[in-house]
Amino acid sequence: MANPSHFEDLTQSYIMVLSICLLLSIFSLSGGFESGIVGGHEVKPHSKPYMASLQYRRQHICGGMLIRNDYVLTSAHCLNNTDTLEVVLGAHNISQNEDSQQIIQVEKYIKHPKYENEPLSYDIMLLKLKTKAVRNEFVSVIKLPKNNENISAHVQCSIAGWGMTKPGGRVSNILREVSLKLELTFKCKNKWKYHFKTEKMICSVSDGKRAFCQGDSGSPLLCDSELKGMAAYTYHNDCTFKEYPQVYIKISAFLPWIKKTLSD
């Protein structure tokens, strides 16, 4: 007779695969493993001058960050729902035509070359801007990590964006921020199984009250005021689901590719 625990393992694996498949179906319909801010607060206007709103036909799709005058870093899946994006810098309220805003077209979309075969593990993209951003009090760059580093668990971090303030809601017009605590890597791996790559990802504790949600994939995760990660994916249809940690691309793991692309 087969071991009952074996069937339980198979069932859990099936549920996991089904969850990922559902997430991938959302990918094609609404921009993928998107993210937004739940349980946060409005940030001081223009206090995060590196933030970018990636838009399609004036509708917010994803977040991003300005890393050089002519380059924005974001998630590769943000381009899955459209063939063009424009970058809005210097914004606080994206529903208004603020004088501080710079709207710039994208000259080139540079997805990581391994993204097509491994979309979860290489969900990172650089946008080369057609015109350089003008740095001022509203627009500035964010510093990249210096090297590939180990990131400790239980560190208090924060992420900002214009995403949904509750699952199934609407994206926020104003930039919001939420504080989150990093989770132990083995717990992330235990829940997400082979979908979580410890060398390329980090994750945060899910408490059911604070989270990122639809609308902010590509938004930067800062710990001790330093860039560490970028919002990647969460549990399908319920970004506040407590059983599954929220996952971020570990930016320092991709420094060689980023630097090579910028130099090219």
Side-chain angles (χ1 to χ4, degrees), residues 183-194:
E183 183 59 281
L184 292 165
T185 301
F186 82 89
K187 289 188 177 181
C188 309
K189 186 74 174 177
N190 183 53
K191 284 295 183 179
W192 287 106
K193 308 298 182 187
Y194 61 88

Side-chain angles (χ1 to χ4, degrees), residues 15-224:
I15 292 172
M16 179 65 67
V17 171
L18 178 59
S19 297
I20 295 297
C21 289
L22 288 170
L23 278 166
L24 289 171
S25 69
I26 296 171
F27 237 11
S28 60
L29 296 174
S30 63
F33 296 124
E34 297 174 341
S35 51
I37 303 303
V38 178
H41 60 273
E42 179 180 357
V43 306
K44 179 181 177 181
H46 310 296
S47 61
K48 299 181 181 297
Y50 48 80
M51 289 294 302
S53 169
L54 308 187
Q55 301 185 5
Y56 175 67
R57 295 181 178 177
R58 302 298 181 182
Q59 297 297 313
H60 177 80
I61 300 295
C62 281
M65 64 201 92
L66 187 69
I67 61 170
R68 205 172 82 175
N69 291 1
D70 54 346
Y71 275 94
V72 166
L73 182 66
T74 188
S75 299
H77 74 251
C78 293
L79 195 63
N80 282 16
N81 194 38
T82 176
D83 58 356
T84 58
L85 291 170
E86 62 182 7
V87 175
V88 180
L89 302 170
H92 179 67
N93 189 328
I94 56 176
S95 69
Q96 298 178 357
N97 295 320
E98 301 165 316
D99 292 337
S100 59
Q101 292 182 13
Q102 298 179 36
I103 302 176
I104 304 177
Q105 304 304 310
V106 177
E107 178 180 303
K108 190 175 183 181
Y109 302 89
I110 310 169
K111 295 182 179 182
H112 193 284
K114 294 185 178 181
Y115 171 73
E116 297 301 332
N117 292 327
E118 299 181 67
L120 293 185
S121 300
Y122 294 91
D123 189 13
I124 189 168
M125 174 172 64
L126 283 164
L127 307 179
K128 188 178 190 305
L129 306 181
K130 284 188 177 181
T131 57
K132 292 183 178 181
V134 177
R135 292 202 217 182
N136 52 36
E137 61 182 306
F138 308 111
V139 176
S140 187
V141 300
I142 190 170
K143 290 183 179 180
L144 291 170
K146 293 182 179 179
N147 47 50
N148 196 353
E149 57 187 347
N150 293 322
I151 303 173
S152 302
H154 305 312
V155 174
Q156 198 71 27
C157 303
S158 65
I159 186 169
W162 288 275
M164 294 179 182
T165 57
K166 64 179 180 179
R170 295 183 177 182
V171 297
S172 173
N173 290 328
I174 59 172
L175 186 61
R176 297 173 61 84
E177 180 181 33
V178 67
S179 294
L180 299 165
K181 186 179 293 185
L182 294 189
E183 183 59 281
L184 292 165
T185 301
F186 82 89
K187 289 188 177 181
C188 309
K189 186 74 174 177
N190 183 53
K191 284 295 183 179
W192 287 106
K193 308 298 182 187
Y194 61 88
H195 302 292
F196 184 86
K197 307 297 184 183
T198 55
E199 70 279 8
K200 296 180 179 68
M201 299 174 181
I202 52 179
C203 73
S204 59
V205 176
S206 302
D207 65 2
K209 299 177 181 179
R210 292 165 293 186
F212 65 76
C213 203
Q214 277 73 29
D216 273 329
S217 296
S219 291
L221 177 76
L222 275 67
C223 306
D224 296 326

